[in-house]
Amino acid sequence: MKVIVDLDACQGYACCMMEAPEVFDLDEDAGKVLLLVESPSEGLRTKTEAAVRACPAKALKLED
Ligand code: SF4
């Protein structure tokens, strides 16, 4: 599983970080998401999928 981030679309809402803090952080200077883990383990799949759904800007995608 690989996380794809569209930084142009990201608006820095940080919803992703609230759903999966192991995978996402917020770069406060840039006001954009900071990807902590590019390929999360299967144990983080549920949280990572929730983060992708939670993004209001549709800036996150998962690839298997
Ligand atoms: S929820 Fe979406 S818009 Fe908000 S910080 Fe995460 S990737 Fe960016």
Side-chain angles (χ1 to χ4, degrees):
M1 172 174 56
K2 193 170 173 223
V3 181
I4 315 284
V5 179
D6 180 351
L7 281 178
D8 290 332
C10 174
Q11 302 294 319
Y13 296 120
C15 312
C16 51
M17 187 182 99
M18 285 182 246
E19 297 289 343
E22 300 88 344
V23 181
F24 304 100
D25 200 354
L26 191 67
D27 179 341
E28 291 187 15
D29 291 335
K32 302 275 182 182
V33 66
L34 188 65
L35 191 58
L36 300 177
V37 188
E38 197 179 332
S39 299
S41 63
E42 279 303 311
L44 288 170
R45 179 177 285 276
T46 304
K47 280 184 163 188
T48 306
E49 286 178 348
V52 170
R53 280 195 305 272
C55 176
K58 306 222 181 302
L60 302 174
K61 259 192 247 169
L62 278 188
E63 272 181 6
D64 273 309

